[in-house]
Amino acid sequence: ELKVEQNPLFLSMQEGKNYTIYCNYSTTSDRLYWYRQDPGKSLESLFVLLSNGAVKQEGRLMASLDTKARLSTLHITAAVHDLSATYFCAGLPNSGYALNFGKGTSLLVTP
Amino acid sequence: EAGVAQSPRYKIIEKRQSVAFWCNPISGHATLYWYQQILGQGPKLLIQFQNNGVVDDSQLPKDRFSAERLKGVDSTLKIQPAKLEDSAVYLCASSPATGGKLFFGSGTQLSVL
């Protein structure tokens, strides 16, 4: 079974600062997803990372995947309040069919 | 493009009662998933359908949960009888193919008292 661990689970950061959320997974996976969830809302897809070394960027968020280290990162550049949300990473096991999610990182950006 | 539709949005029941949730996926999406999200945790897969066949239901508590996807489109998830620990948000998601990006519905928030 693919286990996904995120850290930190809670993150409070000031506007304008940079930070990285880490996502480690336990078994082979060549497909890693990042989702965003606002309070009371459903999950919104941010990035799909399909191969080793993949890097995707959208606005102030950049995601990368290292399949050899079984690690994905979500880097936040110059945070703004609108980025406050919970971020989930999810991996697709090579031998499986459905995504396994981490517990999520709850991000709060303060002035 | 219409998204994944779920109903009801909220449901409050007493333990030992029955409840059913409905999901209509994005048109043309062959794969449909039901996930359970307990407060403060990530979604956990309950069941996955490919068209109207079950691909994975290994984490579905089959003594009380059941799901079906008639004609490979809409799906219903039922809990009978409900327990307190079933309080959660039940998310339906669909994708064009197995392993593809998931599109989630708004979820049904279930409270079991």
Side-chain angles (χ1 to χ4, degrees), chain B residues 34-65:
Chain B
W34 283 102
Y35 280 84
Q36 180 193 57
Q37 187 177 20
I38 292 173
L39 186 64
Q41 298 185 19
K44 183 185 91 171
L45 179 72
L46 292 175
I47 189 166
Q48 177 188 352
F49 293 94
Q50 178 75 14
N51 296 310
N52 60 349
V54 175
V55 174
D56 183 356
D57 63 357
S58 57
Q59 298 190 86
L60 187 73
K62 298 182 187 62
D63 57 334
R64 298 183 301 106
F65 286 64

Side-chain angles (χ1 to χ4, degrees), chain B residues 7-94:
Chain B
S7 68
R9 186 75 178 89
Y10 303 93
K11 191 73 178 178
I12 301 174
I13 62 173
E14 294 187 350
K15 60 183 179 183
R16 291 189 289 274
Q17 285 188 321
S18 303
V19 65
F21 314 128
W22 174 82
C23 173
N24 180 241
I26 292 173
S27 178
H29 280 195
T31 311
L32 184 147
Y33 310 78
W34 283 102
Y35 280 84
Q36 180 193 57
Q37 187 177 20
I38 292 173
L39 186 64
Q41 298 185 19
K44 183 185 91 171
L45 179 72
L46 292 175
I47 189 166
Q48 177 188 352
F49 293 94
Q50 178 75 14
N51 296 310
N52 60 349
V54 175
V55 174
D56 183 356
D57 63 357
S58 57
Q59 298 190 86
L60 187 73
K62 298 182 187 62
D63 57 334
R64 298 183 301 106
F65 286 64
S66 64
E68 60 182 6
R69 189 182 184 196
L70 298 175
K71 300 180 182 178
V73 183
D74 293 5
S75 177
T76 56
L77 176 69
K78 296 179 182 176
I79 307 175
Q80 180 180 8
K83 292 185 175 181
L84 297 177
E85 58 260 36
D86 297 333
S87 295
V89 175
Y90 290 85
L91 294 165
C92 179
S94 69

